[in-house]
Amino acid sequence: MLKVMVVDDEPWGRKSVGKMIGELALDVEVAAEARNGAEALELIPIVKPQIVVTDMNMPVMNGQRLLEELYRRHNEIKVIVISGHSQFEYMRAAIAFQACEYVLKPVSLAELKNALVKAMELSRSHLSAQERRRFAGEMRQLRTETFLQHVTARRIANASDILAQSAELLPVPPAAGYRVAVCMLRRFGDLSATKFGGNSDLLMYSVDNMLRELAAGGEALVYKSDDKTKLCVLLPEPAYGLGGAARLLAPFHDAVSRMLESGVAAGLSAPYDRLERLPEAFAEANARLLAGPLREDGFSLVAADGPHGAGAAPAPEVLSGFDAKLLQQALAAGQAATAR
């Protein structure tokens, strides 16, 4: 059912239009009323109507300004103008800002029904187009991820094939070079068991979405490792270096820390010049990840350029003899919490 907002400064006008809409037995409901354009704009993010039925002559913000703001900020909303005035300026605004219909008062049920049916059809057509765009975007994302996984695992190794597919799938083919970051959640197994019922795929889906949201709008490309325990990020040069990678991954660690009470460790490769060398870049970044500091919950990013992050170090930490003995005893006794 589509939601309708009625905007009119006169209470009887709002109630009258709402009552008529209820009598039409269409697949719509009046979800909200507003006294002027400014109040309507405040309510729209909360109510999320698909259709706005508005008067034109109102205080604070009139219908003409409301049409302009809706066109600029919420052009997915379909607008029906109901006005007691046939002023040229109002009608011109309705045309300029693509209102569905301009209906003069007093409104008949037949006129209102025709206007709403048209608005409903346009709204559903818009939603269908949105769904098609979203599906196309999801399929492209899946194809891009699969391509990068195949190149990383050397299932696609021919340079000309890699060049052709990267030109088709990557928004910015890394002609100027790239780095690879490999990221892993600390306590991955524990998180999967305790927070996701042992479903590691669901855990990876959650953190994958977090990192993609942070990378949205940039040139970085996120994909999962073949074993689905690590997230890889292709970082085109010169937009990303150690500092650029840290600016992306540190907020990712903060989000993971807040939501999952865990940390993120990452390794970053040196720059590589050709995409067919992605397997070497991945292996280097993965080695740096595994050589990173032994921290329970902090963020670390280890790169050839040097370490970055709280307590990060270029070489692995070494346990003291006493700590090593405690670890040995905990492992022998099966005391997982103490061993961690």
Side-chain angles (χ1 to χ4, degrees), residues 208-222:
D208 181 44
N209 280 342
M210 286 186 211
L211 186 51
R212 286 184 191 277
E213 285 183 14
L214 290 168
E219 298 175 3
L221 294 171
V222 179

Side-chain angles (χ1 to χ4, degrees), residues 111-185:
E111 288 176 315
L112 183 59
K113 182 176 182 178
N114 289 338
L116 278 169
V117 167
K118 181 177 179 180
M120 291 165 66
E121 289 173 352
L122 289 170
S123 180
R124 286 174 174 147
S125 175
H126 180 86
L127 289 173
S128 297
Q130 279 188 321
E131 288 168 2
R132 287 195 297 272
R133 286 194 296 271
R134 184 171 63 249
F135 178 74
E138 289 171 354
M139 291 305 297
R140 183 181 181 86
Q141 177 180 303
L142 180 60
R143 288 180 62 205
T144 302
E145 179 172 33
T146 302
F147 166 65
L148 291 173
Q149 287 172 338
H150 285 343
V151 176
T152 302
R154 291 192 171 91
R155 290 188 290 270
I156 300 177
N158 183 277
S160 60
D161 290 342
I162 291 171
L163 184 63
Q165 292 192 49
S166 64
E168 177 192 355
L169 294 172
L170 307 189
V172 183
Y178 63 91
R179 294 173 184 249
V180 171
V182 178
C183 315
M184 190 170 187
L185 298 189

Side-chain angles (χ1 to χ4, degrees), residues 60-305:
V60 184
M61 179 186 287
N62 65 17
Q64 186 173 345
R65 286 186 56 207
L66 174 60
L67 286 172
E68 183 177 354
E69 290 299 315
L70 288 174
Y71 180 78
R72 186 171 62 87
R73 293 156 58 177
H74 303 286
N75 63 7
E76 75 281 2
I77 295 176
K78 307 308 168 187
V79 184
I80 298 169
V81 174
I82 296 180
S83 179
H85 303 271
S86 57
Q87 293 180 14
F88 175 71
E89 286 298 317
Y90 287 168
M91 299 189 79
R92 186 172 69 175
I95 294 169
F97 301 117
Q98 299 181 5
C100 293
E101 287 290 329
Y102 192 103
V103 183
L104 289 172
K105 295 178 181 178
V107 184
S108 70
L109 273 174
E111 288 176 315
L112 183 59
K113 182 176 182 178
N114 289 338
L116 278 169
V117 167
K118 181 177 179 180
M120 291 165 66
E121 289 173 352
L122 289 170
S123 180
R124 286 174 174 147
S125 175
H126 180 86
L127 289 173
S128 297
Q130 279 188 321
E131 288 168 2
R132 287 195 297 272
R133 286 194 296 271
R134 184 171 63 249
F135 178 74
E138 289 171 354
M139 291 305 297
R140 183 181 181 86
Q141 177 180 303
L142 180 60
R143 288 180 62 205
T144 302
E145 179 172 33
T146 302
F147 166 65
L148 291 173
Q149 287 172 338
H150 285 343
V151 176
T152 302
R154 291 192 171 91
R155 290 188 290 270
I156 300 177
N158 183 277
S160 60
D161 290 342
I162 291 171
L163 184 63
Q165 292 192 49
S166 64
E168 177 192 355
L169 294 172
L170 307 189
V172 183
Y178 63 91
R179 294 173 184 249
V180 171
V182 178
C183 315
M184 190 170 187
L185 298 189
R186 303 186 187 280
R187 302 185 295 109
F188 181 88
D190 283 349
L191 285 172
S192 174
T194 59
K195 293 185 180 290
F196 291 85
N199 190 335
S200 59
D201 286 343
L202 185 57
L203 170 57
M204 284 300 292
Y205 176 79
S206 300
V207 295
D208 181 44
N209 280 342
M210 286 186 211
L211 186 51
R212 286 184 191 277
E213 285 183 14
L214 290 168
E219 298 175 3
L221 294 171
V222 179
Y223 65 102
K224 292 181 284 291
S225 62
D226 255 12
D227 62 4
K228 297 184 180 178
T229 64
K230 304 181 184 82
L231 288 175
C232 310
V233 192
L234 187 72
L235 302 162
E237 292 276 294
Y240 294 91
L242 175 59
R247 284 190 294 274
L248 172 63
L249 297 179
F252 175 52
H253 162 78
D254 293 340
V256 168
S257 181
R258 285 194 306 272
M259 297 186 67
L260 300 176
E261 299 176 350
S262 181
V264 172
L268 183 67
S269 75
Y272 283 75
D273 58 349
R274 300 190 312 278
L275 200 58
E276 57 263 34
R277 298 192 65 197
L278 189 56
E280 292 94 327
F282 170 82
E284 180 188 337
N286 193 51
R288 295 190 191 284
L289 163 66
L290 298 177
L294 299 171
R295 292 178 56 81
E296 179 65 19
D297 55 4
F299 168 63
S300 68
L301 174 61
V302 180
D305 315 55

